[in-house]
Short mmCIF file of all heavy atoms in Angstrom, two decimals:
data_model
loop_
_atom_site.label_atom_id
_atom_site.label_comp_id
_atom_site.label_asym_id
_atom_site.label_seq_id
_atom_site.Cartn_x
_atom_site.Cartn_y
_atom_site.Cartn_z
N LEU A 237 23.11 50.13 10.55
CA LEU A 237 21.84 50.84 10.67
C LEU A 237 20.91 50.08 11.61
O LEU A 237 20.77 48.86 11.47
CB LEU A 237 21.16 50.99 9.30
CG LEU A 237 21.89 51.82 8.24
CD1 LEU A 237 21.13 51.76 6.93
CD2 LEU A 237 22.07 53.26 8.69
N PRO A 238 20.26 50.78 12.52
CA PRO A 238 19.24 50.11 13.34
C PRO A 238 17.97 49.91 12.52
O PRO A 238 17.72 50.60 11.54
CB PRO A 238 19.02 51.10 14.49
CG PRO A 238 19.33 52.43 13.88
CD PRO A 238 20.44 52.20 12.89
N SER A 239 17.17 48.97 12.95
CA SER A 239 15.92 48.69 12.25
C SER A 239 14.87 49.75 12.60
O SER A 239 14.66 50.06 13.76
CB SER A 239 15.40 47.30 12.63
OG SER A 239 14.17 47.04 12.01
N LEU A 240 14.24 50.31 11.56
CA LEU A 240 13.16 51.28 11.74
C LEU A 240 11.96 50.82 10.91
O LEU A 240 12.10 50.58 9.71
CB LEU A 240 13.58 52.68 11.31
CG LEU A 240 14.64 53.40 12.15
CD1 LEU A 240 14.95 54.77 11.54
CD2 LEU A 240 14.18 53.56 13.59
N ASP A 241 10.79 50.71 11.54
CA ASP A 241 9.60 50.25 10.83
C ASP A 241 9.23 51.19 9.68
O ASP A 241 8.78 50.74 8.62
CB ASP A 241 8.42 50.14 11.80
CG ASP A 241 8.62 49.03 12.82
OD1 ASP A 241 9.41 48.11 12.52
OD2 ASP A 241 8.00 49.09 13.89
N LYS A 242 9.42 52.49 9.87
CA LYS A 242 9.04 53.44 8.83
C LYS A 242 10.10 53.55 7.73
O LYS A 242 9.83 54.16 6.69
CB LYS A 242 8.80 54.82 9.45
CG LYS A 242 10.02 55.43 10.12
CD LYS A 242 9.68 56.79 10.70
CE LYS A 242 10.91 57.41 11.37
NZ LYS A 242 10.61 58.76 11.94
N CYS A 243 11.28 52.98 7.95
CA CYS A 243 12.34 53.01 6.94
C CYS A 243 12.92 51.61 6.77
O CYS A 243 14.08 51.35 7.15
CB CYS A 243 13.44 54.00 7.33
SG CYS A 243 12.88 55.68 7.58
N PRO A 244 12.16 50.66 6.22
CA PRO A 244 12.66 49.29 6.08
C PRO A 244 13.79 49.20 5.07
O PRO A 244 13.85 49.98 4.12
CB PRO A 244 11.42 48.52 5.61
CG PRO A 244 10.58 49.54 4.91
CD PRO A 244 10.80 50.82 5.66
N ILE A 245 14.68 48.24 5.30
CA ILE A 245 15.78 47.98 4.37
C ILE A 245 15.37 46.80 3.50
O ILE A 245 15.26 45.68 3.98
CB ILE A 245 17.08 47.69 5.13
CG1 ILE A 245 17.44 48.87 6.04
CG2 ILE A 245 18.22 47.40 4.16
CD1 ILE A 245 18.61 48.59 6.97
N ALA A 246 15.14 47.06 2.22
CA ALA A 246 14.65 46.03 1.32
C ALA A 246 15.57 45.93 0.11
O ALA A 246 16.09 46.93 -0.39
CB ALA A 246 13.22 46.34 0.87
N VAL A 247 15.76 44.70 -0.37
CA VAL A 247 16.58 44.45 -1.55
C VAL A 247 15.91 45.04 -2.78
O VAL A 247 14.71 44.88 -2.99
CB VAL A 247 16.81 42.94 -1.74
CG1 VAL A 247 17.57 42.67 -3.03
CG2 VAL A 247 17.55 42.35 -0.54
N GLY A 248 16.71 45.74 -3.60
CA GLY A 248 16.18 46.30 -4.83
C GLY A 248 15.39 47.57 -4.66
O GLY A 248 14.67 47.98 -5.58
N LYS A 249 15.55 48.23 -3.50
CA LYS A 249 14.84 49.48 -3.26
C LYS A 249 15.78 50.47 -2.58
O LYS A 249 16.73 50.08 -1.91
CB LYS A 249 13.60 49.25 -2.39
CG LYS A 249 12.53 48.41 -3.06
CD LYS A 249 11.30 48.29 -2.17
CE LYS A 249 10.20 47.49 -2.86
NZ LYS A 249 9.00 47.36 -1.98
N PRO A 250 15.51 51.78 -2.72
CA PRO A 250 16.33 52.77 -2.02
C PRO A 250 16.15 52.66 -0.51
O PRO A 250 15.06 52.36 -0.03
CB PRO A 250 15.79 54.11 -2.55
CG PRO A 250 15.06 53.77 -3.81
CD PRO A 250 14.53 52.39 -3.62
N VAL A 251 17.23 52.90 0.21
CA VAL A 251 17.20 52.90 1.67
C VAL A 251 17.01 54.35 2.12
O VAL A 251 17.92 55.18 1.97
CB VAL A 251 18.49 52.31 2.26
CG1 VAL A 251 18.43 52.32 3.78
CG2 VAL A 251 18.71 50.88 1.75
N ASN A 252 15.86 54.64 2.68
CA ASN A 252 15.55 56.02 3.09
C ASN A 252 15.78 56.22 4.59
O ASN A 252 15.06 56.98 5.23
CB ASN A 252 14.10 56.36 2.73
CG ASN A 252 13.86 56.36 1.23
OD1 ASN A 252 14.67 56.90 0.48
ND2 ASN A 252 12.78 55.76 0.79
N HIS A 253 16.75 55.53 5.12
CA HIS A 253 17.05 55.60 6.54
C HIS A 253 17.77 56.92 6.84
O HIS A 253 18.76 57.25 6.19
CB HIS A 253 17.94 54.42 6.94
CG HIS A 253 17.88 54.07 8.38
ND1 HIS A 253 18.37 54.91 9.36
CD2 HIS A 253 17.40 52.97 9.03
CE1 HIS A 253 18.20 54.33 10.54
NE2 HIS A 253 17.60 53.17 10.37
N PRO A 254 17.32 57.70 7.82
CA PRO A 254 17.98 58.99 8.10
C PRO A 254 19.43 58.84 8.53
O PRO A 254 20.26 59.70 8.21
CB PRO A 254 17.12 59.60 9.21
CG PRO A 254 16.39 58.44 9.83
CD PRO A 254 16.17 57.48 8.72
N GLU A 255 19.76 57.77 9.23
CA GLU A 255 21.14 57.60 9.69
C GLU A 255 22.08 57.27 8.53
O GLU A 255 23.28 57.53 8.62
CB GLU A 255 21.20 56.51 10.77
CG GLU A 255 20.48 56.90 12.05
CD GLU A 255 20.71 55.93 13.18
OE1 GLU A 255 21.56 55.04 13.03
OE2 GLU A 255 20.03 56.07 14.23
N LEU A 256 21.55 56.68 7.45
CA LEU A 256 22.38 56.39 6.29
C LEU A 256 22.89 57.69 5.68
O LEU A 256 24.04 57.78 5.27
CB LEU A 256 21.61 55.58 5.26
CG LEU A 256 22.37 55.22 3.98
CD1 LEU A 256 23.55 54.30 4.29
CD2 LEU A 256 21.45 54.56 2.96
N ARG A 257 22.05 58.71 5.61
CA ARG A 257 22.46 59.99 5.05
C ARG A 257 23.59 60.61 5.88
O ARG A 257 24.55 61.16 5.33
CB ARG A 257 21.26 60.94 4.97
CG ARG A 257 20.19 60.50 3.98
CD ARG A 257 19.20 61.62 3.71
NE ARG A 257 18.43 61.96 4.90
CZ ARG A 257 17.29 61.37 5.24
NH1 ARG A 257 16.80 60.40 4.48
NH2 ARG A 257 16.63 61.75 6.31
N HIS A 258 23.48 60.54 7.19
CA HIS A 258 24.54 61.08 8.05
C HIS A 258 25.85 60.33 7.85
O HIS A 258 26.93 60.93 7.76
CB HIS A 258 24.11 61.00 9.52
CG HIS A 258 22.92 61.84 9.84
ND1 HIS A 258 22.06 61.57 10.89
CD2 HIS A 258 22.42 62.96 9.24
CE1 HIS A 258 21.11 62.48 10.94
NE2 HIS A 258 21.30 63.33 9.95
N CYS A 259 25.76 59.00 7.76
CA CYS A 259 26.97 58.19 7.56
C CYS A 259 27.58 58.47 6.19
O CYS A 259 28.81 58.53 6.05
CB CYS A 259 26.65 56.71 7.70
SG CYS A 259 26.16 56.20 9.38
N PHE A 260 26.73 58.65 5.17
CA PHE A 260 27.23 58.95 3.84
C PHE A 260 27.92 60.32 3.79
O PHE A 260 28.90 60.49 3.06
CB PHE A 260 26.09 58.91 2.82
CG PHE A 260 25.88 57.56 2.19
CD1 PHE A 260 26.49 56.43 2.72
CD2 PHE A 260 25.10 57.40 1.06
CE1 PHE A 260 26.31 55.18 2.14
CE2 PHE A 260 24.92 56.17 0.48
CZ PHE A 260 25.53 55.06 1.02
N GLN A 261 27.41 61.28 4.54
CA GLN A 261 28.05 62.59 4.58
C GLN A 261 29.48 62.48 5.12
O GLN A 261 30.41 63.08 4.57
CB GLN A 261 27.23 63.54 5.45
CG GLN A 261 25.92 63.99 4.81
CD GLN A 261 25.03 64.75 5.77
OE1 GLN A 261 25.40 64.98 6.92
NE2 GLN A 261 23.86 65.15 5.31
N LEU A 262 29.65 61.69 6.17
CA LEU A 262 30.99 61.49 6.72
C LEU A 262 31.87 60.71 5.74
O LEU A 262 33.04 61.06 5.52
CB LEU A 262 30.90 60.74 8.05
CG LEU A 262 32.22 60.34 8.71
CD1 LEU A 262 33.13 61.55 8.91
CD2 LEU A 262 31.97 59.62 10.03
N LEU A 263 31.32 59.68 5.12
CA LEU A 263 32.09 58.88 4.16
C LEU A 263 32.49 59.71 2.95
O LEU A 263 33.62 59.60 2.47
CB LEU A 263 31.26 57.67 3.74
CG LEU A 263 31.95 56.64 2.83
CD1 LEU A 263 33.19 56.09 3.51
CD2 LEU A 263 30.99 55.51 2.49
N ASP A 264 31.60 60.56 2.46
CA ASP A 264 31.91 61.42 1.31
C ASP A 264 33.05 62.38 1.66
O ASP A 264 33.96 62.59 0.85
CB ASP A 264 30.68 62.21 0.88
CG ASP A 264 29.65 61.36 0.18
OD1 ASP A 264 30.00 60.24 -0.22
OD2 ASP A 264 28.49 61.80 0.05
N THR A 265 33.00 62.97 2.84
CA THR A 265 34.05 63.89 3.26
C THR A 265 35.38 63.17 3.39
O THR A 265 36.43 63.70 2.98
CB THR A 265 33.69 64.55 4.61
OG1 THR A 265 32.42 65.20 4.48
CG2 THR A 265 34.73 65.58 5.00
N ALA A 266 35.36 61.96 3.92
CA ALA A 266 36.60 61.19 4.06
C ALA A 266 37.19 60.87 2.69
O ALA A 266 38.41 60.97 2.48
CB ALA A 266 36.33 59.90 4.84
N ARG A 267 36.35 60.52 1.72
CA ARG A 267 36.84 60.18 0.38
C ARG A 267 37.34 61.42 -0.36
O ARG A 267 38.26 61.32 -1.16
CB ARG A 267 35.74 59.49 -0.41
CG ARG A 267 35.33 58.13 0.17
CD ARG A 267 34.17 57.52 -0.57
NE ARG A 267 34.51 57.18 -1.93
CZ ARG A 267 33.65 56.65 -2.79
NH1 ARG A 267 32.41 56.45 -2.44
NH2 ARG A 267 34.04 56.35 -4.01
N GLU A 268 36.72 62.57 -0.10
CA GLU A 268 37.21 63.81 -0.71
C GLU A 268 38.58 64.18 -0.16
O GLU A 268 39.44 64.69 -0.88
CB GLU A 268 36.21 64.94 -0.47
CG GLU A 268 34.91 64.80 -1.25
CD GLU A 268 33.87 65.81 -0.81
OE1 GLU A 268 34.21 66.66 0.05
OE2 GLU A 268 32.73 65.76 -1.31
N SER A 269 38.78 63.93 1.13
CA SER A 269 40.06 64.23 1.75
C SER A 269 41.13 63.22 1.37
O SER A 269 42.30 63.56 1.20
CB SER A 269 39.89 64.25 3.27
OG SER A 269 41.13 64.43 3.93
N ASP A 270 40.72 61.96 1.21
CA ASP A 270 41.65 60.88 0.88
C ASP A 270 40.93 59.87 -0.01
O ASP A 270 40.04 59.16 0.46
CB ASP A 270 42.16 60.20 2.16
CG ASP A 270 43.12 59.06 1.88
OD1 ASP A 270 43.52 58.88 0.71
OD2 ASP A 270 43.49 58.35 2.84
N PRO A 271 41.28 59.78 -1.31
CA PRO A 271 40.61 58.83 -2.20
C PRO A 271 40.71 57.38 -1.74
O PRO A 271 39.88 56.55 -2.13
CB PRO A 271 41.33 59.04 -3.54
CG PRO A 271 41.90 60.43 -3.46
CD PRO A 271 42.26 60.63 -2.03
N ASP A 272 41.71 57.06 -0.90
CA ASP A 272 41.87 55.70 -0.40
C ASP A 272 41.21 55.49 0.94
O ASP A 272 41.49 54.50 1.63
CB ASP A 272 43.36 55.36 -0.30
CG ASP A 272 44.04 55.29 -1.66
OD1 ASP A 272 43.36 54.90 -2.63
OD2 ASP A 272 45.23 55.63 -1.75
N ALA A 273 40.31 56.39 1.34
CA ALA A 273 39.72 56.31 2.68
C ALA A 273 38.95 55.01 2.88
O ALA A 273 38.92 54.47 3.99
CB ALA A 273 38.80 57.50 2.91
N THR A 274 38.33 54.49 1.82
CA THR A 274 37.55 53.26 1.99
C THR A 274 38.42 52.07 2.34
O THR A 274 37.92 51.05 2.80
CB THR A 274 36.76 52.95 0.70
OG1 THR A 274 37.65 52.93 -0.42
CG2 THR A 274 35.68 53.98 0.47
N HIS A 275 39.74 52.20 2.13
CA HIS A 275 40.64 51.10 2.47
C HIS A 275 41.04 51.11 3.94
O HIS A 275 41.50 50.09 4.45
CB HIS A 275 41.89 51.14 1.59
CG HIS A 275 41.62 50.82 0.15
ND1 HIS A 275 41.61 49.53 -0.34
CD2 HIS A 275 41.32 51.62 -0.91
CE1 HIS A 275 41.34 49.55 -1.63
NE2 HIS A 275 41.16 50.80 -2.00
N TRP A 276 40.90 52.26 4.63
CA TRP A 276 41.26 52.27 6.05
C TRP A 276 40.06 52.49 6.96
O TRP A 276 40.19 52.45 8.20
CB TRP A 276 42.35 53.31 6.35
CG TRP A 276 42.11 54.73 5.92
CD1 TRP A 276 42.57 55.33 4.79
CD2 TRP A 276 41.36 55.74 6.63
NE1 TRP A 276 42.16 56.64 4.74
CE2 TRP A 276 41.43 56.93 5.85
CE3 TRP A 276 40.66 55.76 7.83
CZ2 TRP A 276 40.81 58.11 6.25
CZ3 TRP A 276 40.04 56.94 8.22
CH2 TRP A 276 40.13 58.10 7.44
N ILE A 277 38.86 52.69 6.39
CA ILE A 277 37.65 52.79 7.20
C ILE A 277 36.99 51.41 7.26
O ILE A 277 36.63 50.84 6.23
CB ILE A 277 36.67 53.82 6.62
CG1 ILE A 277 37.29 55.22 6.64
CG2 ILE A 277 35.36 53.83 7.42
CD1 ILE A 277 36.42 56.28 5.99
N GLU A 278 36.83 50.90 8.44
CA GLU A 278 36.20 49.60 8.63
C GLU A 278 34.68 49.73 8.69
O GLU A 278 33.95 48.99 8.02
CB GLU A 278 36.70 48.96 9.92
CG GLU A 278 35.99 47.66 10.30
CD GLU A 278 36.20 46.53 9.32
OE1 GLU A 278 37.20 46.57 8.56
OE2 GLU A 278 35.37 45.61 9.29
N SER A 279 34.16 50.65 9.50
CA SER A 279 32.72 50.77 9.64
C SER A 279 32.35 52.17 10.14
O SER A 279 33.18 52.89 10.68
CB SER A 279 32.17 49.73 10.62
OG SER A 279 32.68 49.95 11.93
#
């Protein structure tokens, strides 16, 4: 994730970064298609 002043990444708080939602959508789809997707996805 790139650094955004309006969406800081802080420990112990939700990350409201817009790019995180897009990445999660792709990751969710990959896991639905293959439960082992997290083992072959690097980044």
Side-chain angles (χ1 to χ4, degrees):
L237 297 175
S239 177
L240 292 179
D241 293 337
K242 62 180 180 180
C243 302
I245 301 172
V247 176
K249 294 183 178 180
V251 180
N252 296 316
H253 203 293
E255 294 189 8
L256 179 64
R257 294 193 294 271
H258 296 154
C259 293
F260 269 14
Q261 288 171 1
L262 175 55
L263 186 58
D264 287 345
T265 304
R267 295 175 66 182
E268 290 171 3
S269 175
D270 179 8
D272 293 328
T274 53
H275 291 273
W276 54 262
I277 297 176
E278 174 65 21
S279 64

